[in-house]
Amino acid sequence: MIKKILIIVFLYILTLFQTNPSLQFYFKINIPLILIFLYNLHEKQKEYFGVFLAIFIGFLSDVFSEKIFGFWILIFLFSVFISRLIKKYVQTSFF
């Protein structure tokens, strides 16, 4: 439980840095998107905490961005879908 709360807080802080107008010159890469993709890649198939993370961080990104509302939620959910497809159909071997 503590681990999940720390992940949420860490991704919240990264989302705030990502959407801060004064720091956008430093963060060109969407770091929360990459971290959610990697988290879902290593999550078990029956768990859905990664989907919750994608919706939550997508919602926060939508609130703080200038794009149409729902854009980032769809992007983050699409990354969850792609990571679960990769995990299901591609054999990965980790050390």
Side-chain angles (χ1 to χ4, degrees), residues 25-68:
F25 295 110
Y26 299 112
F27 292 105
K28 294 288 186 183
I29 299 172
N30 198 342
I31 297 170
L33 180 68
I34 294 170
L35 291 178
I36 287 177
F37 180 81
L38 291 175
Y39 182 83
N40 282 299
L41 199 60
H42 295 290
E43 188 179 39
K44 294 179 182 174
Q45 194 71 25
K46 299 288 182 179
E47 294 181 10
Y48 295 105
F49 182 69
V51 177
F52 167 74
L53 276 179
I55 292 171
F56 180 69
I57 299 301
F59 176 76
L60 288 177
S61 296
D62 280 335
V63 167
F64 296 126
S65 75
E66 301 166 351
K67 296 191 184 312
I68 188 167

Side-chain angles (χ1 to χ4, degrees), residues 6-20 23 27 29-36 57 60-61 64 76:
L6 287 175
I7 289 172
I8 289 172
V9 170
F10 180 68
L11 284 174
Y12 175 72
I13 292 170
L14 280 177
T15 304
L16 287 178
F17 280 130
Q18 186 75 34
T19 57
N20 190 354
L23 295 175
F27 292 105
I29 299 172
N30 198 342
I31 297 170
L33 180 68
I34 294 170
L35 291 178
I36 287 177
I57 299 301
L60 288 177
S61 296
F64 296 126
F76 282 107

Side-chain angles (χ1 to χ4, degrees), residues 65-77:
S65 75
E66 301 166 351
K67 296 191 184 312
I68 188 167
F69 195 79
F71 175 77
W72 286 111
I73 294 174
L74 289 176
I75 296 296
F76 282 107
L77 285 176

